[in-house]
Amino acid sequence: MTALMVSAVALLVLGLVLIFGILFFSVVKHIQRKYYPSWKFPDYVSVGYAEYLFRKFVKRDLPK
């Protein structure tokens, strides 16, 4: 296999992974909207909670 074929196969695999990832997360989001509308995914932190954690753990360790 030449370098061109290897790079073409790599790009094809990357594209397929991205397409299947989008499809998978679209299905997960659809299930979440339909069956669990009030449930929040734990992949984010609210600003208030981030500020609370910053004050609790980081700010007191900073030199004045």
Side-chain angles (χ1 to χ4, degrees):
M1 289 178 41
T2 65
L4 181 63
M5 288 179 65
V6 170
S7 61
V9 169
L11 285 175
L12 179 65
V13 169
L14 180 64
L16 289 175
V17 166
L18 289 174
I19 289 171
F20 285 123
I22 290 169
L23 290 174
F24 173 76
F25 286 111
S26 296
V27 169
V28 168
K29 190 67 175 176
H30 171 73
I31 291 171
Q32 186 258 338
R33 279 191 204 133
K34 185 170 183 174
Y35 298 107
Y36 306 101
S38 62
W39 185 70
K40 302 285 189 242
F41 283 112
D43 60 351
Y44 69 93
V45 175
S46 68
V47 174
Y49 188 61
E51 288 177 356
Y52 163 76
L53 291 176
F54 176 76
R55 280 192 221 106
K56 184 176 180 183
F57 294 110
V58 178
K59 196 170 183 181
R60 67 177 168 178
D61 294 340
L62 294 174
K64 293 185 178 188

